[in-house]
Structures are given as structure tokens and as C-alpha cells.
């Protein structure tokens, strides 16, 4: 499932799942440190928030990646080579104005002639490939496991237990949504107006228990948002709950039937089509946002800024609204590798992976071709030392490849709240952290939006990886991974995890590196390592 942000709506627990220049020789010898950072006074300004992930922890006291500083101090007048970054996701709006000139084109194909000109098995794959065809919605993997029937395995038992739990949670959320919507309607009817303010709400005097309850509910709902914002959140959450009950958790639903491909037959490879945003651009929001974080045009006063400039996005659609199939991900990775990608971003993940070996073999194939795979850690607030999340680069405790890096998400508030409350973490599987809260980037139909999740942290890190590979193309994928981890800024402080104020852990224990990605330091280290 594409890794969405956590959205908590007021009452109880409504949760949406979801290179250094030769002139700066002295600077090459000294990485940025962060032990003496002073907390910022007051809230982060809107102008800072718009591009906070590019700011500098020392200068701005915001835990960004020092991207602006890297461009200003290290990359002026320095030559780069183009890097192809494959975005395996829900689809990408390749016609977005802020991605103009940033979309990979397969020059070996003649557009729209219905012929596989380059003989790679994919007809008219001009800008990538869509392994889902017209599929939009899918089951979760636990649903697919239960649908196959009880085989007596521990996997089935665990999947059934989690599915029952999720169904009960979705049904409870559905009831809560009904109560909240009814409260909103009751207040509107009492005030005889559809639009009202918190002050008007608080002024209501009534001895009616039903109206009193409606007032209590809506007062809580509007304490931190406007009526318009509240109704939009309710609408979004209602759509999510509907998708859960109708598609994700519904054992009677078969999304794969639209494609006509057997997800358990790895011998069939050439399925899907070349419509890389899918059947409807609106469902390509997630992938378009991810692509924008990496590659949207810098300095054009349109939307946000991408991390890397000399890049092209290869759009590969393999992640539905639901859990991705292992086969599609394995095929997508292999397609990216075979068509010239040097970095792959994967902002997806799930808790069950029946054919995980297919994906791991694809990761090893990518490693053999010197391709870096950057992957989101997940948004379940889990310690991945205790809970499995797929894909990963382990068989038991043994690492299978050196090209796979997993990214946790940072918040923009330096201090105890620095780790995003939704982010997974863990000293065993999460390698490093990058900005993942309120990231502004492209979405379909020429629009922009703030989104959050480890889905956003991963392309931020992938963008820095692209910078490294662009300015230091001789460095191997394993070296780029090493640089991202070792050159990051280490922080010796306790932070809150899982959104639980009572649970504070040393930041150094939340990932293998104990660091946050820093583009400035990474380019300094790349310069040194390349020599």
C-alpha cells in the first residue's frame, strides 16, 4: 500500500491509514554538526514550511537536509550527469508543468505505433510502464491470504486475526463518522445556517441532551480547525473507511480481475499498459507528489523545489489503493533496472509478503546492476525490531544486498517532537531519517499539496542520492548508501516516538545510523570518497 500519512480526527481514535568546490577546501574537512543547535523561538513561518526540508539545521534550526546550502556553497559551476530515478508508485502525472523536462523518455521506442520497437516486451513504453492496467482498488495482503482459506499455517492465523481486527475498527469508525456528521447537521439546523463559527457554536444554550452532545462533539472538532477544514477531513476519512470496507478488507472483491493476469504466476511478465498515471489522474496523486519531491523544477516560483536538478523520472505504476502484489513490485524493479534507472524510490509497504523472495531477488538483481533502492519505513509507529515490514533486505538476520536503504520520517520541529509520530523506527531495519511531515510538492492536474508520511521522507533521501550520483557518477550504489548514512547529522537527544509523550527514546537508537540525511555533508563525503 502506498504509505499515507496518519490523520487523527478529533474524537477518540479516528486514524487515517494509510560536491565540494576546490575553493572550499577547508569545508571539505569538516561536516556540519548539530550538538549546539538552539530551539527556534515561535512557530515555523509559512515561507519556511513551504520548503523546510531544504533548510539547514544549524542556520535555520529546522532539521532539513541542507539542500539549499549545498547548491549555494558546493555545486556552483560544477558539472553533473543526468540520473534516471524510477518512481514505483500509484502513477505519475507526467504532464505537470513543474515536472517539465524531468520525465524520462525511452528514445528506443517510436511513440504510439503499437510496436515494441526496443524489443523489451513492453509496447510503446515511452515514459515507463503501468503494471496495474486499469486497477485502482485492491485488497490488503491479509485479505488475500484469508480469502485463500485456512491452510493451518501461522501466517493464515495471524492474517485472520488482523483482518477481523481491521474490519471491527473500520466498522467502529463508520459509526463514529455517522455520529460526527449527525452532530454537524444538528448544529446547522439549530443555527439555521450551514456555515458557522466556533464562537457561534459555543453560544448555543440548550437543555436538549442530543443538542448538547452535538455541541460537545463539534466544539472538539473545531478546536483545532475551521469548519471547512473539518468537513474536508471528514470527507477524506469517510472515503478511506469506505475503501477499507468495500475493497481493502472485503474478501469478495477481486481487483485483479480487471487486469487478467495471474499474480501468482511469475512466468507471465508482459502485462499492463503504457498509461503511467493509470485510468484516472486523480489516483496518481501519491506518485506525482513523490516524483515532485525528487525532481520538481527549482527556483521557478511554482510550487516547491525538487532536491535534484539533473534527473529524469521513470514512471512505473505498480501500487494500487490497497496492497501491492509482490509480483508487480518485482517486475517493476526489474523494468527500472533494465531500462537505465540508477535509483529506485519505493514509497509503499505491507505487513505480509507471500512471495517476498521474488521481490528480494529483484533487489539483488538491482544490486548486481549497481542500482540503489530507497524505501519508505512505513507509517504504523512500529518498532521494526519487533514487527516485520516488507519489502526488506533481510533473510532472517542476514542482509541480502548492499543497495537497499530504508528511510524514517522527520518532523520540522527540532527537539523532542522531531520524529514524525507516525514513523516506523528500529535499529535493525531503518537506516536513516529524512523530512516527511508537511512536504509541499506536485499533485495531478497542475496542482500542489502538503503531504506527509515516510512516503515523503523516502524521495527526499532519494533526491540526495540522485545529487550524489549526478555529481559523482563513479560511486557505486553501496557507496551512496554508505554516504547517506555516515554523512548524516547525529543527534544525541531523546525524542518522542509513536506520538506517545510518555515514550521517549534516544534518537541514536531509532535507526542503524542514528542520523538524519544531510545533502551538504553527503556531497563533501562523496568528494572525498571519489578520490
Amino acid at each position: 500500500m502506498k504509505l499515507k500519512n496518519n490523520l487523527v480526527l478529533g474524537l477518540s481514535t479516528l486514524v487515517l491509514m494509510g560536491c565540494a568546490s576546490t575553493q572550499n577546501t577547508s569545508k571539505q574537512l569538516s561536516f556540519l554538526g548539530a550538538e549546539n543547535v538552539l530551539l527556534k523561538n515561535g512557530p515555523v513561518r509559512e515561507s519556511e514550511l513551504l520548503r523546510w526540508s531544504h533548510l539547514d539545521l544549524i542556520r535555520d534550526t529546522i532539521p532539513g537536509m541542507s539542500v539549499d546550502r549545498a547548491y549555494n556553497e558546493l555545486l556552483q559551476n560544477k558539472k553533473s550527469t543526468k540520473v534516471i530515478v524510477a518512481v514505483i508508485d500509484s502513477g505519475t502525472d507526467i504532464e505537470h508543468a513543474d515536472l517539465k523536462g524531468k520525465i524520462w523518455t525511452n528514445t528506443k521506442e517510436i511513440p504510439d505505433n503499437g510496436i515494441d520497437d526496443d524489443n523489451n516486451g513492453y509496447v510503446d513504453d515511452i515514459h515507463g510502464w503501468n503494471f496495474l492496467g486499469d486497477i485502482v482498488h485492491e485488497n490488503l495482503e491479509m485479505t488475500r491470504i484469508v480469502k485463500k482459506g485456512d491452510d493451518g499455517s501461522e501466517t493464515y492465523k495471524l492474517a485472520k486475526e488482523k483482518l477481523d481486527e481491521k474490519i471491527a475498527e473500520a466498522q467502529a469508525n463508520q459509526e463514529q463518522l455517522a455520529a460526527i456528521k449527525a452532530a454537524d447537521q444538528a448544529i446547522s439546523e439549530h443555527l439555521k445556517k450551514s456555515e458557522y463559527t466556533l464562537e457561534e457554536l459555543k453560544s448555543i444554550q440548550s437543555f436538549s441532551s442530543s443538542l448538547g452532545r452535538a455541541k460537545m462533539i463539534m466544539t472538539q472538532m473545531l478546536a483545532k480547525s475551521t469548519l471547512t477544514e473539518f468537513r474536508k477531513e471528514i470527507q477524506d476519512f469517510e472515503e478511506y473507511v469506505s475503501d477499507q470496507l468495500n475493497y481493502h478488507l472485503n474478501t469478495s472483491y477481486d481487483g485483479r480481475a480487471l487486469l487478467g493476469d495471474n499474480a501468482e504466476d511469475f512466468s507471465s511478465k508482459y502485462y499492463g499498459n503504457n498509461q503511467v498515471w493509470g485510468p484516472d489522474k486523480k489516483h496518481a496523486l501519491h506518485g506525482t507528489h513523490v516524483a515532485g519531491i525528487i525532481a520538481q523544477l527549482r527556483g521557478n516560483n511554482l510550487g516547491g523545489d525538487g532536491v535534484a536538478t539533473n534527473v529524469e523520472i521513470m514512471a512505473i505504476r505498480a501500487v494500487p489503493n490497497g496492497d501491492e502484489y509482490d509480483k508487480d513490485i518485482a517486475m517493476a524493479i526489474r523494468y527500472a533496472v533494465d531500462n537505465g534507472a540508477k535509483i529506485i524510490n519505493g514509497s509503499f509497504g505491507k505487513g505480509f509478503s507471500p512471495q517476498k523472495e521474488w521481490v528480494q531477488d529483484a533487489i539483488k538483481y538491482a544490486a548486481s546492476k549497481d542500482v540503489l533502492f530507497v524505501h519508505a519505513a512505513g507509517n504504523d509507529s512500529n518498532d521494526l525490531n519487533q514487527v516485520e515490514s516488507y519489502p526488506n533486505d533481510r533473510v532472517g538476520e542476514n542482509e541480502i544486498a548492499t543497495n537497499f536503504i530504508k528511510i524514517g520520517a522527520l518532523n520540522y520541529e527540532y527537539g523532542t517532537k522531531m520524529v514524525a509520530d507516525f514513523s516506523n523506527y528500529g535499529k535493525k531495519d531503518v537506516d536513516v531519517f529524512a523530512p516527511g511531515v508537511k512536504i509541499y510538492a506536485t499533485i495531478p492536474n497542475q496542482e500542489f499539496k502538503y503531504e506527509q508520511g515516510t512516503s515523503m521522507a523516502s524521495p527526499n533521501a532519494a533526491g540526495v542520492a540522485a545529487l550524489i550520483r549526478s555529481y559523482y557518477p563513479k560511486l557505486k550504489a553501496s557507496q551512496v548508501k554508505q554516504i547517506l548514512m555516515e554523512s548524516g547529522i547525529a543527534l544525541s537527544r531523546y525524542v518522542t516516538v509513536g506520538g506517545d509523550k510518555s515514550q521517549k527514546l534516544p534518537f541514536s537508537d531509532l535507526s542503524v545510523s542514528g542520523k538524519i540525511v544531510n545533502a551538504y555533508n553527503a556531497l563533501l563525503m562523496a568528494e572525498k570518497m571519489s578520490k
Side-chain angles (χ1 to χ4, degrees), residues 211-480:
L211 187 59
R213 175 172 170 75
K215 177 182 176 180
M216 179 190 71
I217 291 173
M218 291 310 300
T219 299
Q220 188 169 351
M221 293 294 98
L222 300 185
K224 293 184 178 180
S225 64
T226 66
L227 186 65
T228 300
E229 291 169 340
F230 153 74
R231 286 175 176 165
K232 180 62 170 65
E233 287 185 331
I234 285 293
Q235 182 181 345
D236 290 346
F237 193 75
E238 189 171 30
E239 182 179 338
Y240 170 72
V241 173
S242 175
D243 285 351
Q244 280 193 308
L245 293 173
N246 292 328
Y247 308 116
H248 302 169
L249 310 174
N250 183 1
T251 56
S252 298
Y253 179 73
D254 181 12
R256 197 73 176 184
L258 283 171
L259 186 60
D261 173 76
N262 184 355
E264 297 187 3
D265 179 7
F266 200 65
S267 65
S268 63
K269 299 179 180 180
Y270 309 114
Y271 55 93
N273 60 47
N274 69 343
Q275 186 65 280
V276 293
W277 57 64
D280 190 323
K281 277 189 179 181
K282 71 177 183 179
H283 296 294
L285 186 151
H286 192 272
T288 305
H289 199 271
V290 166
I293 292 170
I294 299 168
Q296 59 195 346
L297 294 169
R298 290 182 63 84
N300 64 345
N301 296 316
L302 184 65
D305 284 345
V307 178
T309 53
N310 202 359
V311 293
E312 290 182 341
I313 298 296
M314 180 187 292
I316 306 178
R317 185 170 183 262
V319 184
N321 177 20
D323 274 352
E324 61 278 0
Y325 280 93
D326 292 328
K327 175 183 177 179
D328 296 342
I329 297 304
M331 292 297 179
I333 293 170
R334 290 176 179 274
Y335 177 92
V337 172
D338 290 341
N339 287 279
K342 297 306 292 181
I343 297 167
I344 298 171
N345 185 84
S347 290
F348 53 81
K350 56 186 181 178
F352 294 88
S353 184
Q355 289 89 25
K356 59 181 176 291
E357 295 84 4
W358 293 351
V359 180
Q360 290 179 332
D361 285 346
I363 291 170
K364 288 189 285 187
Y365 178 67
S368 73
K369 301 295 184 178
D370 191 33
V371 179
L372 181 71
F373 192 111
V374 186
H375 186 255
N379 301 335
D380 304 304
S381 307
N382 284 335
D383 180 352
L384 297 188
N385 291 346
Q386 309 296 327
V387 179
E388 288 286 2
S389 179
Y390 301 96
N392 58 42
D393 60 344
R394 286 184 297 101
V395 175
E397 298 300 317
N398 299 316
E399 190 176 74
I400 62 167
T402 58
N403 67 322
F404 184 91
I405 183 167
K406 194 179 284 284
I407 314 297
L410 291 172
N411 185 21
Y412 52 84
E413 297 178 83
Y414 178 75
T416 58
K417 297 179 181 179
M418 191 171 60
V419 172
D421 56 10
F422 53 76
S423 182
N424 289 344
Y425 56 94
K427 194 73 173 175
K428 181 170 66 175
D429 268 359
V430 179
D431 292 299
V432 67
F433 277 74
V437 172
K438 287 190 77 70
I439 306 298
Y440 196 65
T442 48
I443 62 171
N445 300 313
Q446 311 305 329
E447 295 182 5
F448 300 86
K449 188 181 181 183
Y450 284 110
E451 287 284 337
Q452 63 183 29
T454 56
S455 284
M456 285 64 245
S458 182
N460 266 315
V464 176
L467 272 181
I468 297 169
R469 302 212 84 168
S470 181
Y471 286 92
Y472 300 95
K474 293 183 180 180
L475 293 177
K476 302 298 183 184
S478 59
Q479 292 175 302
V480 176

Side-chain angles (χ1 to χ4, degrees), residues 41-73:
N41 293 320
V44 176
R45 295 188 297 271
E46 184 66 27
S47 60
E48 293 174 322
L49 194 59
L50 192 67
R51 53 196 320 285
W52 75 267
S53 58
H54 293 221
L55 300 183
D56 183 84
L57 181 56
I58 306 300
R59 295 182 177 182
D60 306 301
T61 66
I62 294 173
M65 302 185 298
S66 304
V67 176
D68 292 345
R69 186 173 181 183
Y71 275 103
N72 293 336
E73 299 183 20

